[in-house]
Amino acid sequence: MKIYITRQIPDVGIKMLTDKGFEVDINSEDRPLTKEELIEALRKKPYDGVLTLLTDQIDGEVMDACPTAKIFANYAIGFNNFNTEDAKKRNVMLTNTHGGGADRVAEHTWGLILALTCRIVEGDKYMRNGEYQGWDPMLLHGTKLAGKTLGIIGTGRIGADVAHRAKNGFMMNVIYYDIVRNEKIEKDLPAQAGFGATFYSTVEEVLKIADVVSIHVPLTEDTHHLMNETRFNLMKKTAYLVNTSRGPVLDENALVSALQNKIIAGAGLDVYEFEPTLAKGLAELPNVVLTPHIASATDEARLDMARLSAQNIIDVLEGKPAVNSVI
Ligand code: GLV
Protein backbone atom coordinates (compact mmCIF):
# COMPACT_ATOMS: atom_id res chain seq x y z
CA MET A 1 0.00 0.00 0.00
CA LYS A 2 1.17 3.53 -0.74
CA ILE A 3 0.39 6.47 1.53
CA TYR A 4 0.99 10.18 1.02
CA ILE A 5 1.26 12.50 4.05
CA THR A 6 0.82 16.19 3.28
CA ARG A 7 3.16 17.47 6.03
CA GLN A 8 5.34 16.01 8.76
CA ILE A 9 3.34 14.61 11.69
CA PRO A 10 4.65 12.87 14.86
CA ASP A 11 6.68 9.75 14.01
CA VAL A 12 4.38 7.44 15.95
CA GLY A 13 1.70 7.67 13.21
CA ILE A 14 4.22 7.20 10.40
CA LYS A 15 5.71 4.17 12.16
CA MET A 16 2.27 2.56 12.48
CA LEU A 17 1.98 2.77 8.69
CA THR A 18 5.51 1.57 7.89
CA ASP A 19 5.16 -1.28 10.43
CA LYS A 20 2.29 -2.50 8.29
CA GLY A 21 4.66 -2.56 5.34
CA PHE A 22 3.07 0.50 3.73
CA GLU A 23 5.26 2.76 1.60
CA VAL A 24 5.00 6.29 2.99
CA ASP A 25 5.87 9.54 1.19
CA ILE A 26 5.79 12.82 3.11
CA ASN A 27 5.81 16.39 1.84
CA SER A 28 9.32 17.51 2.77
CA GLU A 29 8.45 21.24 2.90
CA ASP A 30 7.68 22.61 6.36
CA ARG A 31 4.57 24.39 5.10
CA PRO A 32 1.16 23.45 3.71
CA LEU A 33 1.19 22.59 0.01
CA THR A 34 -0.84 24.72 -2.35
CA LYS A 35 -3.71 22.91 -4.03
CA GLU A 36 -1.68 22.73 -7.27
CA GLU A 37 1.34 21.28 -5.44
CA LEU A 38 -0.85 18.72 -3.68
CA ILE A 39 -2.42 17.65 -6.97
CA GLU A 40 1.03 17.33 -8.52
CA ALA A 41 2.30 15.25 -5.57
CA LEU A 42 -0.74 12.95 -5.68
CA ARG A 43 -0.34 12.33 -9.41
CA LYS A 44 3.15 10.91 -8.88
CA LYS A 45 2.09 7.49 -7.54
CA PRO A 46 -1.09 5.44 -7.25
CA TYR A 47 -1.53 6.21 -3.55
CA ASP A 48 -4.04 4.09 -1.61
CA GLY A 49 -4.51 6.59 1.20
CA VAL A 50 -3.71 10.21 2.00
CA LEU A 51 -3.13 11.69 5.43
CA THR A 52 -4.15 15.35 5.35
CA LEU A 53 -4.06 18.42 7.58
CA LEU A 54 -6.81 20.97 8.21
CA THR A 55 -4.91 23.38 5.96
CA ASP A 56 -5.42 21.11 2.91
CA GLN A 57 -8.58 21.76 0.92
CA ILE A 58 -9.69 18.31 -0.22
CA ASP A 59 -12.32 18.49 -2.95
CA GLY A 60 -13.25 16.49 -6.04
CA GLU A 61 -10.38 17.93 -8.06
CA VAL A 62 -7.84 16.72 -5.50
CA MET A 63 -9.57 13.33 -5.22
CA ASP A 64 -9.49 12.96 -9.01
CA ALA A 65 -5.72 13.55 -8.98
CA CYS A 66 -5.46 10.29 -7.05
CA PRO A 67 -8.35 8.03 -8.08
CA THR A 68 -6.70 5.04 -6.36
CA ALA A 69 -7.01 6.65 -2.88
CA LYS A 70 -9.72 4.98 -0.82
CA ILE A 71 -9.30 7.29 2.15
CA PHE A 72 -8.36 10.86 3.04
CA ALA A 73 -7.64 10.83 6.76
CA ASN A 74 -7.54 14.22 8.46
CA TYR A 75 -5.06 14.81 11.25
CA ALA A 76 -7.63 17.13 12.90
CA ILE A 77 -10.90 17.04 14.76
CA GLY A 78 -12.47 19.58 12.40
CA PHE A 79 -13.09 18.47 8.83
CA ASN A 80 -14.47 21.54 7.09
CA ASN A 81 -11.52 21.27 4.69
CA PHE A 82 -13.18 18.18 3.18
CA ASN A 83 -15.83 18.36 0.49
CA THR A 84 -17.99 15.52 1.81
CA GLU A 85 -20.36 15.53 -1.16
CA ASP A 86 -17.47 15.12 -3.63
CA ALA A 87 -16.18 12.20 -1.53
CA LYS A 88 -19.58 10.49 -1.40
CA LYS A 89 -19.89 10.72 -5.19
CA ARG A 90 -16.49 9.04 -5.58
CA ASN A 91 -17.01 6.51 -2.79
CA VAL A 92 -13.97 7.85 -0.95
CA MET A 93 -13.80 7.52 2.86
CA LEU A 94 -13.09 10.63 4.95
CA THR A 95 -12.05 10.46 8.59
CA ASN A 96 -11.06 12.85 11.38
CA THR A 97 -9.42 12.44 14.78
CA HIS A 98 -12.54 12.73 16.86
CA GLY A 99 -11.58 11.67 20.38
CA GLY A 100 -7.97 12.82 20.11
CA GLY A 101 -7.36 16.18 21.77
CA ALA A 102 -10.93 17.21 22.70
CA ASP A 103 -10.07 17.51 26.41
CA ARG A 104 -7.07 19.63 25.53
CA VAL A 105 -9.22 21.99 23.44
CA ALA A 106 -11.53 22.31 26.44
CA GLU A 107 -8.54 23.21 28.63
CA HIS A 108 -7.37 25.80 26.12
CA THR A 109 -10.88 27.26 26.04
CA TRP A 110 -10.62 27.68 29.80
CA GLY A 111 -7.19 29.23 29.37
CA LEU A 112 -8.76 31.90 27.15
CA ILE A 113 -11.71 32.42 29.51
CA LEU A 114 -9.38 32.87 32.49
CA ALA A 115 -6.93 35.06 30.56
CA LEU A 116 -9.82 37.40 29.74
CA THR A 117 -11.64 37.44 33.05
CA CYS A 118 -8.41 37.67 35.13
CA ARG A 119 -6.88 40.13 32.61
CA ILE A 120 -3.71 38.07 32.54
CA VAL A 121 -2.37 39.25 29.19
CA GLU A 122 -2.99 42.92 30.00
CA GLY A 123 -1.35 42.44 33.42
CA ASP A 124 1.65 40.69 31.90
CA LYS A 125 2.15 43.51 29.40
CA TYR A 126 1.81 46.08 32.19
CA MET A 127 4.54 44.39 34.22
CA ARG A 128 6.92 43.97 31.30
CA ASN A 129 6.41 47.62 30.32
CA GLY A 130 7.62 48.63 33.80
CA GLU A 131 4.32 50.35 34.56
CA TYR A 132 3.74 48.68 37.94
CA GLN A 133 4.04 51.23 40.75
CA GLY A 134 2.85 48.98 43.59
CA TRP A 135 -0.48 47.58 44.75
CA ASP A 136 -3.39 49.68 43.55
CA PRO A 137 -6.99 49.10 44.67
CA MET A 138 -8.33 50.16 41.29
CA LEU A 139 -5.88 48.35 39.04
CA LEU A 140 -7.07 45.96 36.26
CA HIS A 141 -10.32 44.72 37.78
CA GLY A 142 -11.41 41.45 36.24
CA THR A 143 -14.60 39.40 36.39
CA LYS A 144 -15.45 36.74 38.96
CA LEU A 145 -16.75 33.53 37.40
CA ALA A 146 -18.34 31.64 40.33
CA GLY A 147 -22.10 31.97 40.21
CA LYS A 148 -22.02 33.45 36.70
CA THR A 149 -23.43 31.77 33.60
CA LEU A 150 -21.47 30.08 30.85
CA GLY A 151 -23.36 29.77 27.56
CA ILE A 152 -22.17 26.95 25.33
CA ILE A 153 -23.11 26.85 21.68
CA GLY A 154 -22.62 23.23 20.61
CA THR A 155 -22.28 20.43 23.14
CA GLY A 156 -20.27 17.83 21.28
CA ARG A 157 -17.29 16.32 23.03
CA ILE A 158 -15.40 19.61 23.40
CA GLY A 159 -18.42 21.71 24.42
CA ALA A 160 -19.39 19.06 26.98
CA ASP A 161 -15.84 18.99 28.41
CA VAL A 162 -15.94 22.78 28.75
CA ALA A 163 -19.30 22.49 30.53
CA HIS A 164 -17.98 19.89 33.02
CA ARG A 165 -15.11 22.17 33.93
CA ALA A 166 -17.48 25.13 34.32
CA LYS A 167 -19.67 23.36 36.80
CA ASN A 168 -17.12 21.25 38.67
CA GLY A 169 -14.16 23.59 38.52
CA PHE A 170 -15.57 27.10 38.53
CA MET A 171 -19.01 26.72 40.11
CA MET A 172 -20.66 28.29 37.09
CA ASN A 173 -24.17 27.85 35.88
CA VAL A 174 -24.21 26.27 32.39
CA ILE A 175 -26.77 26.98 29.70
CA TYR A 176 -26.48 25.62 26.21
CA TYR A 177 -27.87 25.60 22.72
CA ASP A 178 -27.49 22.68 20.36
CA ILE A 179 -29.41 21.58 17.29
CA VAL A 180 -30.65 18.65 19.34
CA ARG A 181 -31.15 18.60 23.09
CA ASN A 182 -28.21 16.86 24.81
CA GLU A 183 -29.75 14.54 27.39
CA LYS A 184 -26.37 13.19 28.44
CA ILE A 185 -25.00 16.55 29.47
CA GLU A 186 -28.17 17.34 31.40
CA LYS A 187 -27.93 13.99 33.20
CA ASP A 188 -24.20 14.42 33.89
CA LEU A 189 -24.60 18.00 35.05
CA PRO A 190 -28.03 18.15 36.70
CA ALA A 191 -29.29 21.65 37.32
CA GLN A 192 -29.26 21.58 41.12
CA ALA A 193 -28.87 24.65 43.28
CA GLY A 194 -28.59 26.84 40.21
CA PHE A 195 -25.62 24.95 38.70
CA GLY A 196 -25.99 22.48 35.87
CA ALA A 197 -26.66 22.34 32.18
CA THR A 198 -29.91 23.89 30.99
CA PHE A 199 -31.04 23.68 27.38
CA TYR A 200 -32.29 26.69 25.42
CA SER A 201 -33.83 26.12 22.03
CA THR A 202 -32.33 29.19 20.38
CA VAL A 203 -28.86 30.69 20.19
CA GLU A 204 -30.45 34.06 20.91
CA GLU A 205 -31.72 33.05 24.35
CA VAL A 206 -28.27 31.80 25.37
CA LEU A 207 -26.61 35.00 24.15
CA LYS A 208 -28.97 37.21 26.15
CA ILE A 209 -28.29 35.42 29.44
CA ALA A 210 -24.66 34.25 29.38
CA ASP A 211 -21.75 36.07 31.00
CA VAL A 212 -19.29 34.05 28.94
CA VAL A 213 -20.23 32.51 25.58
CA SER A 214 -18.09 29.68 24.19
CA ILE A 215 -18.52 28.38 20.65
CA HIS A 216 -18.07 24.66 19.90
CA VAL A 217 -19.80 23.96 16.59
CA PRO A 218 -18.33 22.47 13.42
CA LEU A 219 -18.01 24.86 10.48
CA THR A 220 -20.75 24.12 7.96
CA GLU A 221 -22.89 26.24 5.63
CA ASP A 222 -25.36 26.59 8.51
CA THR A 223 -22.81 27.73 11.08
CA HIS A 224 -20.87 30.12 8.82
CA HIS A 225 -21.20 33.55 10.51
CA LEU A 226 -23.39 32.03 13.22
CA MET A 227 -22.11 34.93 15.30
CA ASN A 228 -22.85 38.11 13.39
CA GLU A 229 -23.58 41.75 14.18
CA THR A 230 -27.20 41.05 15.15
CA ARG A 231 -26.16 38.32 17.53
CA PHE A 232 -23.28 40.29 19.09
CA ASN A 233 -25.85 42.99 19.81
CA LEU A 234 -27.89 40.51 21.85
CA MET A 235 -25.02 39.75 24.22
CA LYS A 236 -24.55 41.51 27.54
CA LYS A 237 -22.18 44.47 27.46
CA THR A 238 -20.22 42.73 30.22
CA ALA A 239 -20.03 39.38 28.41
CA TYR A 240 -17.00 37.66 26.91
CA LEU A 241 -16.94 35.54 23.77
CA VAL A 242 -14.55 32.66 23.22
CA ASN A 243 -14.02 30.73 19.99
CA THR A 244 -11.88 27.61 19.71
CA SER A 245 -13.96 26.02 16.92
CA ARG A 246 -13.39 27.46 13.44
CA GLY A 247 -12.79 31.09 12.52
CA PRO A 248 -15.56 31.62 9.93
CA VAL A 249 -18.19 30.72 12.54
CA LEU A 250 -17.72 34.36 13.61
CA ASP A 251 -18.03 37.38 11.37
CA GLU A 252 -14.63 38.67 12.49
CA ASN A 253 -15.06 42.20 11.11
CA ALA A 254 -18.39 42.48 12.96
CA LEU A 255 -16.66 41.18 16.09
CA VAL A 256 -13.99 43.90 15.82
CA SER A 257 -16.77 46.55 15.58
CA ALA A 258 -18.60 45.02 18.55
CA LEU A 259 -15.40 45.14 20.61
CA GLN A 260 -14.48 48.66 19.48
CA ASN A 261 -17.99 49.90 20.31
CA LYS A 262 -18.05 48.10 23.66
CA ILE A 263 -21.06 46.00 22.65
CA ILE A 264 -19.33 43.12 24.46
CA ALA A 265 -16.52 43.17 27.03
CA GLY A 266 -13.91 41.06 25.27
CA ALA A 267 -13.06 38.03 23.17
CA GLY A 268 -10.65 35.11 23.31
CA LEU A 269 -9.85 33.55 19.95
CA ASP A 270 -7.75 30.61 18.85
CA VAL A 271 -9.12 30.51 15.30
CA TYR A 272 -9.64 33.23 12.69
CA GLU A 273 -11.92 33.85 9.76
CA PHE A 274 -9.09 34.65 7.34
CA GLU A 275 -6.35 32.48 8.89
CA PRO A 276 -3.48 33.29 9.16
CA THR A 277 -4.51 36.93 8.60
CA LEU A 278 -6.41 38.80 11.32
CA ALA A 279 -9.39 41.07 10.63
CA LYS A 280 -8.37 44.73 10.52
CA GLY A 281 -8.20 46.25 13.98
CA LEU A 282 -8.37 42.98 15.93
CA ALA A 283 -4.73 42.94 17.07
CA GLU A 284 -4.93 46.54 18.29
CA LEU A 285 -7.72 45.84 20.77
CA PRO A 286 -6.70 45.51 24.45
CA ASN A 287 -9.75 43.41 25.34
CA VAL A 288 -8.89 40.40 23.20
CA VAL A 289 -6.64 37.43 23.85
CA LEU A 290 -5.35 35.76 20.70
CA THR A 291 -3.61 32.41 20.31
CA PRO A 292 -2.36 30.91 17.02
CA HIS A 293 -4.70 27.91 16.52
CA ILE A 294 -2.94 25.90 19.23
CA ALA A 295 -5.91 24.63 21.25
CA SER A 296 -4.91 21.01 20.64
CA ALA A 297 -1.17 21.64 20.60
CA THR A 298 0.18 19.37 23.32
CA ASP A 299 2.45 16.39 22.82
CA GLU A 300 -0.29 14.11 24.17
CA ALA A 301 -3.00 15.41 21.84
CA ARG A 302 -0.75 15.49 18.78
CA LEU A 303 0.43 11.91 19.42
CA ASP A 304 -3.19 10.77 19.79
CA MET A 305 -4.07 12.55 16.55
CA ALA A 306 -1.15 10.91 14.73
CA ARG A 307 -2.17 7.46 16.02
CA LEU A 308 -5.84 7.97 15.19
CA SER A 309 -5.26 9.26 11.68
CA ALA A 310 -2.86 6.39 10.91
CA GLN A 311 -5.27 3.85 12.43
CA ASN A 312 -8.10 5.18 10.27
CA ILE A 313 -5.99 4.59 7.16
CA ILE A 314 -4.98 1.09 8.31
CA ASP A 315 -8.57 0.12 9.13
CA VAL A 316 -9.96 1.30 5.81
CA LEU A 317 -7.19 -0.28 3.75
CA GLU A 318 -7.67 -3.55 5.66
CA GLY A 319 -11.37 -3.44 4.82
CA LYS A 320 -12.57 -2.64 8.33
CA PRO A 321 -15.01 0.14 9.24
CA ALA A 322 -13.29 3.44 10.04
CA VAL A 323 -13.92 4.47 13.66
CA ASN A 324 -13.74 8.15 12.77
CA SER A 325 -15.71 8.26 9.53
CA VAL A 326 -17.19 11.72 8.90
CA ILE A 327 -19.47 10.76 6.00
C1 GLV B 1 -7.86 21.67 15.15
O1 GLV B 1 -8.35 22.73 14.93
C2 GLV B 1 -8.54 20.44 14.90
O2 GLV B 1 -9.60 20.46 14.26
O3 GLV B 1 -8.03 19.38 15.30
Side-chain angles (χ1 to χ4, degrees):
M1 296 285 180
K2 293 180 179 30
I3 311 298
Y4 187 74
I5 303 184
T6 63
R7 193 166 172 182
Q8 186 67 42
I9 60 160
D11 286 341
V12 64
I14 300 165
K15 188 166 178 312
M16 283 171 66
L17 297 168
T18 52
D19 281 354
K20 282 276 168 189
F22 295 178
E23 180 186 328
V24 176
D25 292 337
I26 307 173
N27 160 30
S28 57
E29 306 271 353
D30 187 20
R31 61 168 176 84
L33 296 175
T34 63
K35 186 170 171 185
E36 292 67 36
E37 288 171 327
L38 178 57
I39 287 176
E40 198 186 314
L42 292 181
R43 281 197 179 129
K44 289 201 176 125
K45 287 187 191 170
Y47 291 109
D48 300 284
V50 186
L51 198 152
T52 55
L53 306 189
L54 59 89
T55 37
D56 303 314
Q57 295 307 316
I58 306 299
D59 59 11
E61 215 184 324
V62 174
M63 294 170 201
D64 291 343
C66 190
T68 46
K70 292 185 192 57
I71 172 168
F72 284 76
N74 233 19
Y75 170 89
I77 301 171
F79 56 91
N80 54 291
N81 58 312
F82 284 155
N83 186 321
T84 49
E85 290 312 310
D86 284 358
K88 278 184 208 158
K89 277 187 219 143
R90 290 163 178 79
N91 206 18
V92 168
M93 175 57 71
L94 302 176
T95 58
N96 71 348
T97 53
H98 186 70
D103 50 358
R104 169 60 201 152
V105 178
E107 288 175 0
H108 193 87
T109 303
W110 274 100
L112 290 173
I113 295 173
L114 291 172
L116 285 164
T117 55
C118 304
R119 303 186 69 174
I120 287 174
V121 176
E122 287 170 276
D124 179 85
K125 209 175 279 172
Y126 188 82
M127 296 304 288
R128 289 169 199 262
N129 286 344
E131 290 175 68
Y132 186 47
Q133 301 292 318
W135 190 82
D136 176 343
M138 302 310 287
L139 184 63
L140 286 177
H141 288 191
T143 301
K144 173 177 148 161
L145 291 172
K148 299 269 172 61
T149 299
L150 175 69
I152 299 191
I153 310 293
T155 54
R157 203 176 288 211
I158 298 171
D161 275 5
V162 171
H164 275 269
R165 285 154 178 75
K167 187 188 174 202
N168 298 319
F170 293 96
M171 282 94 80
M172 289 185 81
N173 192 30
V174 177
I175 61 175
Y176 76 95
Y177 164 80
D178 210 326
I179 43 174
V180 282
R181 192 166 176 163
N182 185 333
E183 282 170 21
K184 174 151 177 26
I185 198 176
E186 289 182 36
K187 195 159 154 266
D188 290 349
L189 301 175
Q192 293 156 347
F195 304 120
T198 307
F199 174 67
Y200 283 84
S201 59
T202 65
V203 175
E204 283 73 13
E205 285 171 288
V206 171
L207 297 179
K208 283 184 201 162
I209 302 169
D211 298 296
V212 178
V213 174
S214 194
I215 312 287
H216 300 286
V217 295
L219 174 62
T220 63
E221 274 175 22
D222 292 337
T223 62
H224 182 263
H225 283 191
L226 173 105
M227 291 302 297
N228 53 27
E229 187 188 348
T230 314
R231 286 191 166 146
F232 293 132
N233 280 324
L234 294 175
M235 291 175 66
K236 292 182 179 177
K237 285 202 177 339
T238 50
Y240 293 94
L241 178 71
V242 172
N243 186 20
T244 52
S245 65
R246 282 290 181 265
V249 171
L250 306 186
D251 179 342
E252 204 169 294
N253 287 309
L255 174 66
V256 171
S257 295
L259 290 163
Q260 284 169 338
N261 297 316
K262 310 230 174 309
I263 302 293
I264 63 171
L269 306 178
D270 185 53
V271 287
Y272 304 91
E273 182 168 4
F274 315 103
E275 239 166 87
T277 304
L278 302 185
K280 195 162 172 286
L282 185 64
E284 282 77 55
L285 291 164
N287 51 344
V288 296
V289 176
L290 309 175
T291 54
H293 205 149
I294 51 168
S296 62
T298 59
D299 286 350
E300 293 99 327
R302 294 289 194 244
L303 292 177
D304 280 350
M305 290 161 71
R307 283 189 203 102
L308 277 169
S309 46
Q311 192 60 51
N312 285 322
I313 291 182
I314 292 167
D315 286 348
V316 168
L317 296 186
E318 288 184 344
K320 295 182 206 142
V323 181
N324 293 122
S325 163
V326 297
I327 49 173

